[in-house]
Amino acid sequence: MNNFAVFILTYGRADKVYTYENLRRGGYTGKIYLICSTDDKELNKYKELYQDDVIVFNKEDIKGTFDIGDNFNKDNVVVFARNANFNIAKKLGLDYFLQLDDDYEIFEYKYATKDKLVGRRIYNLDLIFSYFVKFLENTKTTSIAFSCWWRAGYRDWE
């Protein structure tokens, strides 16, 4: 896991990066980086709160290298950070990384009982992430997606 890190893509929410603390609460002890763009008005606040864990990219540097799938010609979409993340990981010498948004409030696993779906908080994310890295190393798979959903009426990712 020396060549693995978690990246949190965030913009304009320096005081609301829920994912950071919930990764730690979930037992993740590894490296976490926040990916911020140069046009974020809260960039200095991110640096104050997260110091060396903040990595800044310039949207202008990657514009035109991919189709953002947007007809409105606006830059306020996360796809810039998602694409910049690959070059950032490469520069850091990482072979594996997990890319998350900033608003994950809980990490859980689900299982079915006789009559309902039950969720349990995860406290061993280091182990879980290491299993996924081993899976990537031992298969031809190059990408894995974790699923999450938001329950209407609650700010609670499951």
Side-chain angles (χ1 to χ4, degrees):
M1 295 294 288
N2 291 334
N3 58 354
F4 173 84
V6 173
F7 291 97
I8 300 173
L9 314 180
T10 186
Y11 186 91
R13 299 165 48 92
D15 290 323
K16 296 178 183 176
V17 184
Y18 303 123
T19 305
Y20 192 97
E21 288 304 317
N22 285 303
L23 281 164
R24 296 299 188 214
R25 185 176 298 137
Y28 178 64
T29 61
K31 195 65 180 158
I32 301 173
Y33 295 103
L34 279 68
I35 306 297
C36 300
S37 59
T38 55
D39 66 332
D40 192 327
K41 291 177 176 67
E42 294 193 24
L43 186 55
N44 288 332
K45 179 84 174 193
Y46 281 108
K47 289 179 179 180
E48 177 186 318
L49 293 171
Y50 297 97
Q51 302 167 357
D52 294 336
D53 293 340
V54 176
I55 297 177
V56 182
F57 77 99
N58 188 334
K59 290 177 185 176
E60 295 298 321
D61 293 342
I62 60 171
K63 253 187 195 175
T65 62
F66 60 92
D67 181 356
I68 67 169
D70 182 8
N71 295 330
F72 300 106
N73 295 319
K74 292 187 176 183
D75 294 346
N76 62 340
V77 291
V78 73
V79 71
F80 289 101
R82 292 206 192 289
N83 283 282
N85 196 167
F86 286 84
N87 287 331
I88 292 167
K90 193 176 204 175
K91 286 179 187 174
L92 292 171
L94 299 172
D95 292 324
Y96 306 99
F97 64 91
L98 176 61
Q99 191 180 86
L100 301 173
D101 293 328
D102 60 9
D103 56 358
Y104 285 55
E105 292 186 355
I106 192 168
F107 290 91
E108 290 185 320
Y109 64 92
K110 297 287 191 180
Y111 63 94
T113 64
K114 186 165 55 169
D115 59 344
K116 63 182 174 179
L117 189 62
V118 178
R120 294 288 182 252
R121 183 180 289 271
I122 294 172
Y123 293 102
N124 59 346
L125 285 173
D126 278 350
L127 181 64
I128 289 170
F129 295 163
S130 72
Y131 287 156
F132 279 92
V133 168
K134 285 178 187 173
F135 179 79
L136 289 169
E137 289 175 336
N138 292 296
T139 67
K140 293 181 180 181
T141 305
T142 58
S143 179
I144 298 172
F146 291 87
S147 69
C148 65
W149 61 281
W150 186 66
R151 190 172 8 171
Y154 299 92
R155 287 230 10 109
D156 158 326
W157 286 94
E158 302 187 54

